[in-house]
Amino acid sequence: MALTTDTKKDIYRTMFLAQAWEQALLRLMDENLAPASYHPGRGSEGTEVAATAALRPDDYLLYDHRGMAHIIAKGVSLVELFGDFLGNDLGTTGGLGAGIVHVCKPELGVLGQSGTLGGSQLIAAGAALSSKLRHTEQVTMCFFGDGAANRGTFHEAANAAGAWKLPLVFVVQNNGWAVSVPTSYSTGGTFHDRAIGYGMTGYEVDGQDPFAVYEVAEEAVERARSGGGPSLIEAHTVRLTGHYASDPDGYRSAEVRAAYAEKDPIVKARLMLLEQGLATEDELRGMEQTALDEVQTARDKALTGTKPGAERLHQRVYV
Amino acid sequence: MALTTDTKKDIYRTMFLAQAWEQALLRLMDENLAPASYHPGRGSEGTEVAATAALRPDDYLLYDHRGMAHIIAKGVSLVELFGDFLGNDLGTTGGLGAGIVHVCKPELGVLGQSGTLGGSQLIAAGAALSSKLRHTEQVTMCFFGDGAANRGTFHEAANAAGAWKLPLVFVVQNNGWAVSVPTSYSTGGTFHDRAIGYGMTGYEVDGQDPFAVYEVAEEAVERARSGGGPSLIEAHTVRLTGHYASDPDGYRSAEVRAAYAEKDPIVKARLMLLEQGLATEDELRGMEQTALDEVQTARDKALTGTKPGAERLHQRVYV
Amino acid sequence: MREITYMQAINEAMAEEMERDERVILMGEDVGAMGGIFGVTTGLFDRFGPDRVLDTPISEMFIVGGAVGAAMTGLRPIAELQFADFIWNAADETYAKMSKWRYMHGGQVTVPMVLRLPEGATGGGGAEHSGCPEASMLPHPGAHIVVPSTPADAKGLLKSAIRSDDPVAFFEHKMLYATKGPVPEGDHLVPIGKADIKRPGTDVTVVAWGRMVSLALQAADRAAADGHEVEVLDTRGLRPLDVPAILASVEKTGRLLIVQEAPKSGGGASEIAAIVAEEGLDLLEAPIRRIGAADVPIPQNAELERFAIPTVDDVQVAIKELLA
Amino acid sequence: MREITYMQAINEAMAEEMERDERVILMGEDVGAMGGIFGVTTGLFDRFGPDRVLDTPISEMFIVGGAVGAAMTGLRPIAELQFADFIWNAADETYAKMSKWRYMHGGQVTVPMVLRLPEGATGGGGAEHSGCPEASMLPHPGAHIVVPSTPADAKGLLKSAIRSDDPVAFFEHKMLYATKGPVPEGDHLVPIGKADIKRPGTDVTVVAWGRMVSLALQAADRAAADGHEVEVLDTRGLRPLDVPAILASVEKTGRLLIVQEAPKSGGGASEIAAIVAEEGLDLLEAPIRRIGAADVPIPQNAELERFAIPTVDDVQVAIKELLA
Ligand SMILES: Cc1ncc(C[n+]2csc(CCOP(=O)(O)OP(=O)(O)O)c2C)c(N)n1
Ligand SMILES: Cc1ncc(C[n+]2csc(CCOP(=O)(O)OP(=O)(O)O)c2C)c(N)n1
Ligand SMILES: [Mg+2]
Ligand SMILES: [Mg+2]
């Protein structure tokens, strides 16, 4: 799918929606209705939405712990997402979640989350192997941060993907930090260079520019789908907040944080749409209001869900 | 230390000695005096001896499971090595070994072996970190095969080494096979390219040419020692035998094996010494006879050792 | 009935299930052209080809984690780790991904895979190639733990495991590979989680699984010569654990010996002893006895290994002491 | 005596030992400028600098395996995994390298390191951030297993662990970090492997360690109100296990309850129950009782988690039943 004006608008709309959803979640936390453990995605919506937008509905997504924008872009309903965080029966896992949730929606290719970072890299390689062996032309996309990229799991997944030309796209969201540790301190070399050593194509892209992300993602996804093998996209993003919702973020200086604040991909995308004459201010406002209404409706609906009782504990552990 | 004629002769002598020692070990196995589990090193003596020769006595060595040439080159006595295989008190581990042994000689920097491939990569990174923090200018050299290079342990060790510029030299002995699996089937990209992604220098060298190996190893060791950070040397070697002593090697065709037989690094080094006029046939014969005698003496001595009894079982597990 | 080896039984089970269901694939180090380093997968590569029998890189995390991903998306992988000890090289993938993914995600996906784990001491494998880590899976519910002791059980249990929608960790003792026994042809299935009385008796219950069953049977023979009837109960694994069968046997005999090859501490014997001490204490006429390997890393020296690993003599002595 | 928190006690132990011995270094994710995600290493980076307090990459295998290499070559690392569950991400390094390297190499090297493992359920951490895997180390002899329950024990045991030439796995319960208690100033050392009677009693023995000790003490208070004297024996860890102290207590009370936070199957409680069923069966006047978490992956939903994890009520009920 080419990067048409509609695609651009859709990317913007989804970024805005994801952000609005996240604000609503944080409000639920303030109101003590949802548990306060969440890794906000503010700053990385550009990468998450635009890369995911290059996927087909039946492609597989292994999202990461930061934000929910990729999951929203893949089509999981806001009610289900709220339900997962509220821990009630409207969530995809039927109330097992709450906290840093595991969202799972196999019909949409959303396979779930590994709470240990890096676990999803291997599962992604397995899913990609599976679609290759089943000849389904499905592509698997796997998101993770600069920190998680340094787990050995990446090496094993990337090597298998490279050796067997698996239909897999790794997206490294490099926001420069893993909790308090700067990427420059913890990392030798660069992530996109690492691609070469596995016989993969490596891309470096500005994650603040969702349209640029979409273009490389589309190329990588098409390569994967047509049998050309895996790719790795290193997207430079920012973490506009603390690591988790209540992280005081004291290990990053005021200047560092201020510099990041200039790099909001949602602001940037909006500006590009206006400057390139692709949308009017009114149109965008309308779009935004619709998104806010959608979030409000979903929140109201989700709050009507029922929390599971003790009987839920032993369900679905054995078939 | 420059690659003088003496160094070249010493490398040849040690290669020959390692090979003679191995033949004697295989004979012990045939005679049912030593257990028949061993991964012969025939074909990789060039890499193992020449790279190790670039180390100082107090540098650290993490050898691999293939052959004993690196351990011999690092200075462990032949009696001790036989003792480890015979499982008697003359071995470095005092009889705990036998079989695919763990040789350990801290005074010579020989730190031991991880029976699970790849474990030594991490321990090597830790040893290199230790000498860096202790400011001892010791270098750590870590050998492993093409197969073991695909374990996630490598990634974590290489990344830490690259990030912190650790004094570490990885030597990948790429003999094209991991047991029955061709490297080309199991591996994406190349090993020396992988170095780049960690900010390391990567070398590709012909392991059949020990003098070439010495030169890159010396450069890498000196870089490490002077604070220039880690390197990775990919040496192309051959496995002249089956994977382990009694492996029928049926998964490799006669042609493949014949082609490898042409690539004996000992034969090649000998020829180079003669052709370059660095040694005479007589001199080499004398050297070889001395080595054979040395092996015989060591064998006789080692066979006088005593095997441990049941009381050994519970010794040295807690301090 | 025809007799085949434990290894052939396992091979046959895989071949039949791969024939029956094309979603079944096999992946592991050297499982292809070579037929596995122990020969267990011989012939499968030729028969089913490289898209069904995959030689993997030396990447244990990928072998298990990749199989989890494949199992969730329409395949039914049989993944092999070359040695059961390598479960530690893929522990998070085994305990937290294979075993827990389904539950963690609310049952939205199943993870129908079998993880094959050749286990046990063989005379010189050393501390990292001789383990019997089946009990390590107990605190990680979600996967079944199967440990067959005979060729017939190996075949029947593996076929059940491959058909199960739950993940199954399947431990095969390397020293059993060459042992022979009668195995029914065709669709022989053994249910997972049902214990089997391998020898009935009235005086002492010996509970064992995997290779230790044969030690128990040999010791029982010797005890019979002394006039004691030993019941040998093969749990065939550890999860589900057939607690009723264990308690029923102890009720009959009043004396319980549990034999495992793993180090005495922290193994399946401890779990079974604890359960009986909780649920069947009044059935006991003597203290429970456990036999396991010495609590040391297994030495590479085969002679030292012999001192470390349980023997028939150990079992015999314990039986005598229980009857004293 | 002054009162400080469990977390401060741990911090103080590290600071004092780092002051005392410059070979002691600290390595782990976010242990530097941030002071650890739970704040346990606060101030150490400022005090000892980046060559003594190292923020590592997210590479658990390197954290443990690298510490093993550093420990063999002249340093005495304290390595921290951010969550004890991540032991599965470094299992081979922990079980086979840290624990076994010395023995496997004939005692030629020592591996003097401490692996700090923040454990336990905290209300919403889910199946991969809530575990108490101390018992998983039992079948891998070579390392001590320490689990302190009070600030004083935390300080004294950690100082002993840092000075030990054996590797030590040191499990800290996250829910204890903020709890306060009296802690002696200065060189307070607690020997590894000695149990401690946290409350003497004559009617029932409750064996526990880590966070479960406080549940046991609360339940003992309630039992006292009913006129029953419960003895609470804190093993302070699992290896070495103070078996004589356990047997002595059971001899006094005749009744044994073991409480662990880990899932009921395959934990330390099973090991202790098995030992008592072997060595102290005739001391028992009632069946042994074990309490542990439900045998399911811990759900992320904190309300479901509460159903899964042992509570004071559970302990109280079990005590009552044991006395019935
Ligand atoms: C194996 C593992 N190690 C550590 C953690 C704890 N942890 C969760 S998020 C995080 C930081 C991740 O950094 P990065 O991958 O860069 O993603 P970001 O948070 O910056 O988006 C850490 C250390 C974990 N969940 N799993
Ligand atoms: C983690 C782990 N996986 C598998 C093995 C079994 N194994 C021992 S040697 C070997 C092949 C190694 O190949 P390579 O690294 O290329 O070295 P080579 O034998 O060719 O010298 C295998 C699979 C092991 N010891 N450890
Ligand atoms: Mg990051
Ligand atoms: Mg090789």
Side-chain angles (χ1 to χ4, degrees), chain A residues 96 114 116 130 313 316 318, chain C residues 73 92 97 102-103 106 239:
Chain A
L96 202 79
S114 168
T116 45
S130 161
L313 203 58
R316 303 182 205 170
Y318 295 104
Chain C
T73 54
D92 186 51
K97 301 300 158 312
R102 177 172 184 268
Y103 183 87
R239 169 166 283 139

Side-chain angles (χ1 to χ4, degrees), chain A residues 8-319:
Chain A
K8 285 187 178 174
K9 283 190 199 165
D10 205 50
I11 288 173
Y12 175 71
R13 196 191 56 76
T14 309
M15 289 167 72
F16 187 90
L17 185 68
Q19 182 243 187
W21 179 88
E22 182 168 293
Q23 298 303 328
L25 173 71
L26 295 171
R27 219 160 47 235
L28 282 172
M29 293 181 184
D30 289 342
E31 293 163 0
N32 255 320
L33 292 170
S37 57
Y38 177 65
H39 302 104
R42 287 298 290 117
S44 56
E45 297 91 346
T47 316
E48 297 184 1
V49 170
T52 307
L55 295 177
R56 265 183 0 198
D58 67 337
D59 287 338
Y60 295 122
L61 170 70
L62 278 299
Y63 53 89
D64 60 9
H65 62 287
R66 178 128 336 271
M68 293 285 138
H70 22 31
I71 304 178
I72 292 173
K74 197 73 174 65
V76 176
S77 81
L78 303 188
V79 174
E80 286 173 306
L81 267 188
F82 277 129
D84 278 330
F85 279 84
L86 293 165
N88 70 34
D89 61 344
L90 297 176
T92 62
T93 64
L96 202 79
I100 308 158
V101 298
H102 295 255
V103 178
C104 186
K105 195 82 189 172
E107 311 89 278
L108 296 169
V110 179
L111 295 182
Q113 182 184 216
S114 168
T116 45
L117 297 169
S120 65
Q121 295 153 353
L122 301 162
I123 287 171
L129 173 63
S130 161
S131 57
K132 183 181 162 139
L133 294 176
R134 291 180 295 111
H135 306 288
T136 60
E137 296 191 348
Q138 289 162 289
V139 173
T140 298
M141 184 174 279
C142 179
F143 284 86
F144 46 94
D146 50 283
N150 286 331
R151 278 209 62 220
T153 47
F154 171 73
H155 187 62
E156 299 196 1
N159 176 58
W164 296 345
K165 288 198 170 298
L166 300 182
L168 180 54
V169 180
F170 292 113
V171 183
V172 184
Q173 302 208 64
N174 184 351
N175 59 15
W177 297 84
V179 192
S180 71
V181 183
T183 312
S184 55
Y185 180 75
S186 64
T187 309
T190 71
F191 302 110
H192 59 276
D193 274 349
R194 291 185 184 174
I196 303 162
Y198 304 106
M200 292 195 272
T201 307
Y203 296 96
E204 186 175 20
V205 65
D206 176 4
Q208 271 31 72
D209 180 346
F211 309 140
V213 170
Y214 181 85
E215 289 192 300
V216 298
E218 214 211 358
E219 188 177 309
V221 166
E222 284 322 308
R223 174 182 303 109
R225 200 178 313 287
S226 59
S231 310
L232 180 149
I233 300 170
E234 175 177 1
H236 294 283
T237 65
V238 292
R239 200 185 82 200
L240 293 176
T241 67
H243 174 65
Y244 47 87
S246 55
D247 175 9
D249 209 357
Y251 43 81
R252 304 199 294 184
S253 69
E255 298 81 66
V256 165
R257 278 182 280 157
Y260 288 150
E262 304 279 287
K263 297 195 167 191
D264 186 329
I266 299 187
V267 172
K268 179 153 177 175
R270 193 177 203 280
L271 213 65
M272 285 196 290
L273 287 177
L274 290 172
E275 282 175 354
Q276 294 168 19
L278 304 176
T280 64
E281 179 67 33
D282 274 0
E283 195 182 348
L284 293 179
R285 289 227 178 126
M287 197 186 266
E288 288 156 10
Q289 190 54 52
T290 311
L292 290 169
D293 294 345
E294 205 183 311
V295 168
Q296 182 64 44
T297 313
R299 176 194 143 107
D300 294 344
K301 175 82 205 292
L303 283 168
T304 66
T306 309
K307 298 206 177 181
E311 76 291 347
R312 179 74 181 78
L313 203 58
H314 291 275
Q315 286 166 9
R316 303 182 205 170
V317 64
Y318 295 104
V319 173

